[in-house]
Amino acid sequence: MNLLLVEDDPELGRQVAGWMLDAGHKLQWEKTGASALATLQTQTYDVVILDVGLPDTDGFSLVERLRRDGVRVPVLFLTALADVSDRVRGLAAGGDDYLTKPFAIAELLARLEALHRRASNHVPTHRRLGKCRLDLMRRRVSCANESVELQPREWCLLEVLMNHEGRILPKKFLLEQVWDIHFDPGTNVVDAMICRLRRKLEMPGCGVLIETIRGKGYVFKTLA
Ligand code: CA
């Protein structure tokens, strides 16, 4: 497994990291919530082992933030907070499992493997696009605190654009792919929907661009 450990206690961190490496797993160790978030924006992991008491935030808020951003990676809380109310809070925040210190290494390993197994059976529900996230179930695009829902045809257009990122797509091609129209309908249906999609994706810092190449078609670009 490819693991992310978020733990500020140097001794415990070294111990857990050593055990995981010995068990044949890969492990990245972050010591603050901010660095963990930054890592999770660019890297994917099979499971995150998350401490609750971190210097800059708490693990519960961190998971809430991740889930809001659509990051579905399984999270196991590893914490000294053993009260039922803490466990409930951790799971309610979006955590998948909860193990309290002190713990047996064999149990930690077994729980991580169980989480990984469960997650591998899941179909992806989200995808990253530029600096936004796509909710594949709800056809929703979210960026920072804004989110828009796309109509089925707009979604289909976005998918075709995404799958051909960086290439000039003639209107004729888009008509065929999105509308299943194989002749010139003599309307501006493509331009109109591109405009609408652009407006919907015009969220600040969204990092997505649909350029018009005069006389040729459209190019989809992500800036992130
Ligand atoms: Ca701690």
Side-chain angles (χ1 to χ4, degrees):
M1 283 181 286
N2 187 13
L3 304 167
L4 175 67
L5 169 67
V6 189
E7 172 65 71
D8 64 319
D9 180 329
E11 200 173 321
L12 184 65
R14 258 197 304 278
Q15 226 172 17
V16 172
W19 287 330
M20 294 305 133
L21 298 176
D22 284 349
H25 302 301
K26 275 176 68 184
L27 183 133
Q28 164 81 20
W29 178 11
E30 296 298 339
K31 298 171 185 76
T32 64
S35 63
L37 263 182
T39 303
L40 282 161
Q41 312 260 308
T42 55
Q43 307 290 322
T44 53
Y45 297 92
D46 295 319
V47 185
V48 177
I49 307 168
L50 182 58
D51 181 23
V52 174
L54 292 167
D56 54 343
T57 181
D58 65 273
F60 300 140
S61 311
L62 187 70
V63 166
E64 273 167 2
R65 166 75 194 276
L66 287 179
R67 299 311 187 219
R68 256 203 321 275
D69 289 353
V71 180
R72 293 303 316 157
V73 61
V75 171
L76 176 137
F77 282 110
L78 191 61
T79 168
L81 301 177
D83 288 354
V84 170
S85 62
D86 290 316
R87 290 165 182 267
V88 169
R89 201 175 151 210
L91 297 173
D96 302 279
D97 200 357
Y98 200 103
L99 188 59
T100 53
K101 304 167 187 171
F103 57 90
I105 174 65
E107 182 175 2
L108 174 60
L109 275 170
R111 283 176 183 262
L112 292 173
E113 272 153 22
L115 284 176
H116 180 42
R117 242 188 345 262
R118 238 179 285 157
S120 324
N121 296 331
H122 282 173
V123 245
T125 55
H126 289 78
R127 173 174 168 178
R128 205 174 265 284
L129 172 69
K131 288 174 183 162
C132 0
R133 296 206 144 260
L134 302 185
D135 182 331
L136 304 177
M137 300 292 136
R138 295 192 198 138
R139 294 195 305 260
R140 196 188 288 267
V141 183
S142 328
C143 182
N145 297 323
E146 281 187 72
S147 111
V148 288
E149 214 162 294
L150 299 185
Q151 298 302 311
R153 190 84 74 181
E154 295 165 349
W155 185 260
C156 181
L157 174 61
L158 178 61
E159 278 187 325
V160 172
L161 291 168
M162 281 191 307
N163 292 338
H164 298 84
E165 188 177 341
R167 284 169 35 196
I168 299 177
L169 303 180
K171 270 187 219 174
K172 184 171 172 289
F173 176 80
L174 293 174
L175 272 172
E176 288 171 7
Q177 296 287 316
V178 181
W179 284 267
D180 201 22
I181 292 178
H182 299 263
F183 54 91
D184 182 357
T187 66
N188 65 351
V189 57
V190 177
D191 312 79
M193 192 164 290
I194 290 271
C195 272
R196 218 155 60 220
L197 191 57
R198 261 194 203 126
R199 259 201 316 277
K200 288 196 171 184
L201 295 177
E202 245 173 25
M203 294 177 278
C206 160
V208 171
L209 194 68
I210 308 170
E211 267 180 27
T212 304
I213 311 292
R214 200 170 289 279
K216 292 196 170 160
Y218 297 97
V219 178
F220 181 79
K221 290 179 179 170
T222 50
L223 310 173

